[in-house]
Amino acid sequence: MKEAIKDTDFEVRLDNDVMVQEPWWRNIKYFIVGVLFGVVFVKAEIISWFRYQEMFRLQSFHMYGVIGSAVVVGMISVWLIKKFNIKTIDGAPITFAPKKFNKGQIYGGVMFGLGWAMTGACPGPIFVQIGTGVGVVLVVLLSAIAGTWVYGYLRDKLPH
């Protein structure tokens, strides 16, 4: 008998789960943040395939420092959101769903790491690499999209 899988693939969800349709120009703020995100990635050399190789060969602290800093900033941000009950721009409360460990997270983490090591890109830097003119990364982007689609298609059959 097939067991129903509860949807836990979200980190943060609005309480009302209602998407508000905004005019297109209100998305400019996301464009600006994305451009700033890309500039920071280029300046910090986070999109460098060489930096990834250094990291996976344990030859340099550079990427570990960047990733560690991001983890600390994320932890502080979540703490601040919870401590001061910070709301979204639209005024909706932010809630965090409790996460339960499952063995599928290990398999997914290993596959993610292997893909990262082989391509020299994880989801954020893919777009920055394309933006800097590394056209071959389009293959990585299409592969990532295909992998996401395959996961969604096979999700019920995978270990959770």
Side-chain angles (χ1 to χ4, degrees):
M1 177 169 224
K2 189 173 182 179
E3 182 179 325
I5 299 172
K6 185 179 177 187
D7 181 15
T8 59
D9 286 346
F10 53 87
E11 294 294 328
V12 177
R13 180 172 286 180
L14 298 176
D15 277 345
N16 55 10
D17 284 340
V18 175
M19 297 296 294
V20 178
Q21 189 68 35
E22 296 180 343
W24 69 269
W25 54 266
R26 291 201 60 188
N27 292 328
I28 290 174
K29 60 189 169 204
Y30 303 116
F31 176 78
I32 293 169
V33 170
V35 169
L36 292 174
F37 189 67
V39 169
V40 169
F41 271 30
V42 170
K43 291 295 185 186
E45 297 183 14
I46 295 171
I47 62 166
S48 167
W49 184 82
F50 176 74
R51 291 291 184 191
Y52 289 122
Q53 289 301 308
E54 279 183 336
M55 176 181 71
F56 284 112
R57 292 180 182 187
L58 305 174
Q59 294 175 333
S60 173
F61 183 75
H62 182 90
M63 288 300 292
Y64 295 110
V66 170
I67 293 168
S69 298
V71 169
V72 170
V73 168
M75 290 170 60
I76 292 170
S77 299
V78 169
W79 180 79
L80 288 172
I81 290 170
K82 289 181 176 179
K83 176 82 174 171
F84 297 107
N85 197 22
I86 296 173
K87 298 184 178 359
T88 65
I89 291 174
D90 298 323
I94 300 172
T95 58
F96 295 88
K99 296 299 256 181
K100 183 178 175 187
F101 176 77
N102 65 63
K103 62 183 175 186
Q105 293 167 335
I106 294 174
Y107 300 134
V110 168
M111 290 178 65
F112 181 87
L114 288 173
W116 192 9
M118 289 188 324
T119 63
C122 65
I126 286 176
F127 295 100
V128 180
Q129 289 171 331
I130 293 169
T132 59
V134 185
V136 72
V137 181
L138 284 169
V139 175
V140 177
L141 176 62
L142 293 175
S143 300
I145 292 169
T148 302
W149 182 85
V150 169
Y151 171 75
Y153 186 76
L154 298 174
R155 184 171 188 266
D156 294 341
K157 298 173 180 71
L158 297 173
H160 285 94

